[in-house]
Every structure is written in C-alpha cells, then in structure tokens.
Amino acid sequence: MPDDRPSTDADLETIGGIETIGALGEQAVLARILPRLQPGDSALLGAGDDAAVIAAPDGRFVVTCDMMVHGPDFRLAWSTPFELGWKAAATNLTDVAAMGARPTALVVAIAAPPNLAVAVLEGIADGLREGLASLAPGAGVVGGDLSASSVLTITVTAFGDLEGRSAVTRSGARVGDVLAHAGVRGDAAQGLRLLFAEGVDASGEPDPERAAALRARHPRLIAAQLAPEPPVGAGVAAAEAGATAMLDVSDGLARDARRLAEASGVGLDFDGAALGADVRLALAGAEDHGLLATFPAGAPVPAPFEVIGRVVEDAGELRVDGAPIAADGWDPYSGWDGRAG
Amino acid sequence: MPDDRPSTDADLETIGGIETIGALGEQAVLARILPRLQPGDSALLGAGDDAAVIAAPDGRFVVTCDMMVHGPDFRLAWSTPFELGWKAAATNLTDVAAMGARPTALVVAIAAPPNLAVAVLEGIADGLREGLASLAPGAGVVGGDLSASSVLTITVTAFGDLEGRSAVTRSGARVGDVLAHAGVRGDAAQGLRLLFAEGVDASGEPDPERAAALRARHPRLIAAQLAPEPPVGAGVAAAEAGATAMLDVSDGLARDARRLAEASGVGLDFDGAALGADVRLALAGAEDHGLLATFPAGAPVPAPFEVIGRVVEDAGELRVDGAPIAADGWDPYSGWDGRAG
C-alpha cells in the first residue's frame, strides 16, 4: 500500500548496522540476497518472474508452511541471522519429511523493518542455503517476497516429492505397531530453558553477551534450540520401510504423540527406559523436530529411528510403561508474553 | 518458542472483540476457521497433517508468495477482514495467472496478536473462500499456519497448473508484438489517494467512519483498492492465444512495463489515447493487479485484453506515442512511513 506521507523511522525497531534495507530499496536488497541462494535441482524457473515453476515428477507435490516471528519464535539477541535461516529451513524440511517426501524447494517471505541491516537478511539467506545443503541436498530456494513490517517475520513454504509413494499421514497407526522416534529428545527445550534462565539481563530481557557465554558452556543444547539438525532424510527412509503413520515432533513428544493417537484412533504406550533419564523432559520438550513414526510389528525399523514404545488400544490415550499420562506442550498464543526484547 | 514467563497483554495492539484467539488457543481457532474454507479440486490431502498433498497433473507446478502486513499493506480501520482475505487471494491468484497458469490452491500463514478477535480471522477466511470462488473456481485453501505477532501479517503462497503449456515469462516479448492490458488502470491508486486524503481523522490516522462515508461516495474506487477483482481467468486465455510475455501489474503500469521491457530486451511504446483521460494515473497507479501481455502482431488478442501499445526497439525504454517517459511506482521500504494506525 503506497503511502504519500513523508517517511519517518518512528516506531521502528532499530536492530543496528549501517547499510539498511530501507536505504537500499527492494531491488538492491534482492540483488544482495539472491546470489546467496541456489534454486535447487527441481526449479524449472526460479526467482525473477511473477511465479516460479517447480518439477513435480510424480504428478503430486507435498506442501507445508511455517512462520517465525521475532518475539514469540526467536530473538535476535540470541539467534544469529544464519541460525534463523537455518532453523526456518530445518523446521519446514522436517514437516515435508514427516509425510515421507523428499524436500525439493522452498519459497521464503520476509517482512522486515526498513532500518534493519541488510547484513541480517544476508545472514538469513546464508543459513537457508547451508541448512538446505546439509539437511536436504538438491533442494533450493525458488522464490519469495520482501515486505516491510515493524516485526521481523519469516514465512517459509516448503515442497516435497513423494517419488511415487503414498503420503505417510498421522492416521495410519494400527494396534500392535511399534512406535519409533528419530532425533534428539528434550535438547531444544533444555537449550531454551537455559536461554531464559541465564541468557537474559537483570530485567529479564534477552542479552547477547550472556547468550554467547551460554553457547560456550552448553554448545549442544543451545544449538539444538537455535539451529536444530532434524533427521530430514529419515522421513523417506521411514516411508520406504513401510511406516504406517508419522509426524514431526515440534510441540513436544507427548502433545504430538497424542495427535497421532487421536488421528489413528489408537493408544500409545511409551517404554520409559527408552526415553532416557528424564522422561518428563523427553515427553514435554518442544521444538526438537524429531520424527515420530509407527512401523508394522516385526518390520525392520530404519536408522536413525529408535523403538520407544508400541501402539495399543484405548483411542487417544498416552501411557508410559502402561500408566496413563497427561499431554503437555506449547500453544503459540498462550505461550507468549507479548515481548520481543 | 515457549516462554516460561507469565503472560501479559502489554505492547499488544488491541483490535477489539470479546472472543480473542489467545483465549481460545490454536486448536480451537483452527476449528473455527477451517470449516469456512474449501480445500478445492486439486487437494489430494488437505489441512490437518504435517503437510498437504496437491495434484500437479502435468508434472510441474507454478508457485508464488506474497505477504500483507498491517501498516504498510493494509489498515483494519479501512479494510474489513473479508476484504483482507479477498485481497490476499486476489493478488496471489493474479501472479499465478500472469504465468499463464490455472490457479489450483493456496496455503495461508497468519500471525496475529493474541488479543485479536477470532471474528477477524473468520472474516479473513470468508474473504479467502469467496475470493477463490469468484476469481478461481475450483481452487481452495489446502493448509497454513497460525502464529502470534504484535502485527497482523498474512502470507499467502499460491499454486497453479500450466496444463501442459509453457510458462509465459517476462522475457519473451519481441519487436513488433502488440502490447495489451487486462483490468482497470489507476482505480486502486485513486481509491488509496481518497483514503489517505479523506479516510483519516484530524491527526492523519485512518478512521473507520470516514472510510465508510468514502465507500458510499466512491464505491468503485474504494473497492478497487480494498477488494480488487483482477482478471485472473485472462491469464490462461492469454497463454492459449500465444502471449509472448506477461506479468502482473502490481507496482504501476510504467514500473512493471519497464520490468517486462528489460527482461525481454525491448522497448514499449504506449498508445496515449488507449490509456484513458489521465495517462499519468494509468501509468503510475499501483495495485490494480491487471495483466500486461504481449502478443504476436496479427494474432487475435483475447478479451478482456485491450491493445495499449506495441513492442519497439531501444531495450528497456518506455514511450508514450513515441516520447520517452520515466518510470514511477512503489517500493515497500521507501513507500512506508512506519505507521500502522
């Protein structure tokens, strides 16, 4: 929406840097970002036209979409721009993988304050590129959008190819199947707990220097939160092994397991010993972005999946070693205090 | 990102209403919105899993993405929620059409303040549904994401089917082609000018009552800005008629024509008489979301396209009746004053 009124920086969040995106303008910013990205093997026509064209060789494509908003979803005082791009790629790629699909491409829409340093967008682009190269080789960024907003907001839409297979949904688990998980359990939540406890200043605001000190002391847990490495390739492996149901564990193992149980009309009984020393953390910790899947009993469970339980009757019920448990997880509206500091 | 701290509404923009999305929570909000949407004819698997599955019968799909942010892109004091949904659909469908593709599906990501009335999201959903039904029958909403943000932000990603045809890009115009346009020229800009001039209170802030009065006096111009009806079906018609190049006119006819001219390495000479009484308005007015296309000389130009000029030499040059003109249009960073009032 064009605005005839004189420009002012009032009310905009200043994040620093000399070369701002507002001073450069949209075309110059795109010229700085696009060379950092690869369109990938599936792009028949990449960025630069009204729309991109992507190959969908089996006549279908998988699509998922996820927004990351400064404040509730990330803080620039904690995450580097590279980590933001990496995480935006990783979380969406995992959703594609959870359908049993091979990721092919992303489109990325970013809304940013005009006084944001262009280096932040360059860092996000670098993180997207490297996240794709590491987690889904061959997939690329085929297009996107740049908008202005007082709140840095990143929306990624990701695509995948089912390569002729059926999609693996949440609803196919059958009583007697084994329950298996690929990825870390609780690390991302531990990292976040550390950031909120020790990565803040005296007033509780995220603090870059304290976060840097935390990284040095707890590199694995902080990285699990800020730049997760989900087992994207395990999605196709699970589908090829005959997985009956699968989903991405983003809101906590218990909450997401209950979704699978409800969609399939079954119960799930976790093996407490398989969940590690802190069962509650493994069940409640959000944002690990592992894959939870069910496989027919007796079928080989592909690496890196580990068997953590079995599918039982009692539709929608969750149990640990036979004892019922309550769900626990993260809601985007009730879980955010409105702060972006 | 979960946050252990107690919840507060500080810093959140209050938009009104009793039943807020924060009070309802994500699942209940989805249960209110999803029944208002149709997945459409191309959805093989719709919302409710980690990803949707969409048909791509010709082995490719077209994809485009556009963000709308409260402040620079719309104001709730001027637009109804229904209009926001309609416009979000319309602008993205036009980008799909501009490739010569038939729109098949959308995914919609919305970030909203927890104290936003759920009725606003319901209205957006209704506008998306009706915009699709009117502009691209058979296309639907296959999925999306809900996030929290202090700034209402809508990201739509749209898909289309080329039905075996080549994509119509910006780069295929040839000297001697005719230049044609489908859609209104300048109406959206006139509507916006009226809103900024007369739809504001004494301090310059958007005012709902003044905007309502404007609607009564100038229904066509205000609707062109707030709920445009772009000629989406004309995109396929142009491709079938052999269009050599095409793009969506979102930033103004002159600015977008220059993009086509530069991509094709040609010049464009507008016929001043064909542009109407106010040539400058027709060339500069943004957000009309018409389609600009070139057709081989002598080929029939399909309705509702009107011939408005011809393709000439002089790469990248724009002329009106042979006289050079400067480009003019809208940049998202330099064109916004940072206000969202």
Side-chain angles (χ1 to χ4, degrees), chain A residues 67 148-149 151 153 333, chain B residues 13 15 21 68-76 81 84 109-113 116 120-121 124 147-155 340:
Chain A
M67 268 182 150
S149 174
V151 178
T153 304
Y333 300 115
Chain B
E13 181 183 3
I15 297 162
I21 59 176
M68 286 170 47
V69 180
H70 192 246
D73 298 317
F74 65 87
R75 310 289 171 99
L76 284 167
L84 294 182
I110 299 180
L116 186 75
V120 174
L121 297 192
I124 291 171
S147 301
S149 174
S150 56
V151 178
L152 180 60
T153 304
I154 306 169
T155 308

Side-chain angles (χ1 to χ4, degrees), chain A residues 332-334 336 338, chain B residues 7-25 29 76 111-121 147-152:
Chain A
Y333 300 115
S334 63
W336 177 45
Chain B
S7 184
T8 159
D9 281 341
D11 300 324
L12 293 181
E13 181 183 3
T14 301
I15 297 162
I18 295 163
E19 225 178 354
T20 68
I21 59 176
L24 280 172
V29 170
L76 284 167
N115 60 352
L116 186 75
V118 68
V120 174
L121 297 192
S147 301
S149 174
S150 56
V151 178
L152 180 60

Side-chain angles (χ1 to χ4, degrees), chain B residues 110-201:
Chain B
I110 299 180
N115 60 352
L116 186 75
V118 68
V120 174
L121 297 192
E122 291 176 325
I124 291 171
D126 290 345
L128 286 163
R129 181 190 67 242
E130 295 303 314
L132 284 163
S134 173
L135 302 172
V141 176
V142 296
D145 188 30
L146 283 180
S147 301
S149 174
S150 56
V151 178
L152 180 60
T153 304
I154 306 169
T155 308
V156 171
T157 307
F159 309 104
D161 178 13
L162 288 164
E163 301 176 319
R165 296 179 299 271
S166 295
V168 183
T169 67
R170 302 175 176 191
S171 57
R174 295 164 304 190
V175 175
D177 285 352
V178 299
L179 180 66
H181 179 266
V184 297
R185 290 186 284 276
D187 287 9
Q190 282 189 278
L192 188 66
R193 187 185 298 169
L194 284 167
L195 285 165
F196 272 118
E198 303 175 34
V200 293
D201 63 20

